[in-house]
Amino acid sequence: MTPLVLARRSDVVAIARMSRDLIEDGLDWSWTSERVEASVRRRDALVVVARAEARLVGFAIMRYHDDDAHLDLLGVAPDFRRRGLGRQLMEWLEKPALVAGITAVFLEVRESSSGAQAFYERLGYRKLGRLPGYYQGRESALRMGRDLASAAKT
């Protein structure tokens, strides 16, 4: 298990580059260091990172609302995938949602990313709908969600 900690402002460039390279490949870069830093500073968001040695190997950004939360980004370095780090990041961000009484988490995933869809489905997320042209008019997304209230009862 890789220890998870809240992101620091010094992490934003590495997070933004990982987003560009791992998540936004083929799209215009929208999660720049300025946008990531704004998430780090937001009162209604958490940005968590995982490090191996001094290297950032995973991160996630979630925003919290009154009744639901929204996963903005989740990225894991390719050489750290399939080790449970993505699950660990998600569980870390879902815990405060449960404590706050938030009942649902939503996210969007590229329609072409069957691996990411399968990952979220293994975590209990289900497909809720298709969003045509969601990613800069170039690619559709699937909206997915998870009911935290029913997941907490099992």
Side-chain angles (χ1 to χ4, degrees):
M1 290 280 234
T2 305
L4 304 182
V5 295
L6 286 172
R8 301 180 301 239
R9 290 172 77 185
S10 59
D11 295 321
V12 300
V13 171
I15 293 169
R17 286 181 180 156
M18 283 182 75
S19 176
R20 179 194 63 202
D21 297 343
L22 302 176
I23 301 166
E24 298 182 86
D25 184 44
L27 299 170
D28 296 334
W29 190 15
S30 67
W31 280 92
T32 62
S33 55
E34 293 82 12
R35 188 172 179 195
V36 173
E37 184 172 355
S39 290
V40 168
R41 297 173 80 149
R42 286 180 70 139
R43 291 180 177 263
D44 64 345
L46 289 175
V47 182
V48 62
V49 296
R51 289 187 185 80
E53 311 275 326
R55 179 178 156 220
L56 192 84
V57 295
F59 72 91
I61 301 173
M62 188 174 287
R63 286 177 290 128
Y64 301 86
H65 308 290
D66 289 340
D67 296 321
D68 60 40
H70 189 271
L71 179 70
D72 286 333
L73 285 176
L74 172 77
V76 175
D79 54 330
F80 278 79
R81 292 182 184 161
R82 302 210 176 273
R83 298 184 187 185
L85 183 54
R87 176 181 293 274
Q88 190 181 353
L89 288 161
M90 289 299 292
E91 289 173 353
W92 197 96
L93 290 171
E94 288 173 349
K95 283 180 186 175
L98 279 167
V99 169
I102 292 172
T103 58
V105 177
F106 299 101
L107 60 91
E108 290 78 34
V109 63
R110 283 181 164 193
E111 187 174 41
S112 65
S113 184
S114 58
Q117 292 169 39
F119 165 75
Y120 291 117
E121 286 174 340
R122 284 192 301 274
L123 296 181
Y125 285 79
R126 59 185 178 85
K127 295 173 185 168
L128 303 173
R130 182 176 181 268
L131 305 169
Y134 181 83
Y135 294 103
Q136 302 169 4
R138 298 181 198 172
E139 186 171 348
S140 297
L142 294 178
R143 182 150 171 101
M144 299 181 79
R146 179 169 181 229
D147 180 354
L148 296 180
S150 64
K153 294 175 188 171
T154 58

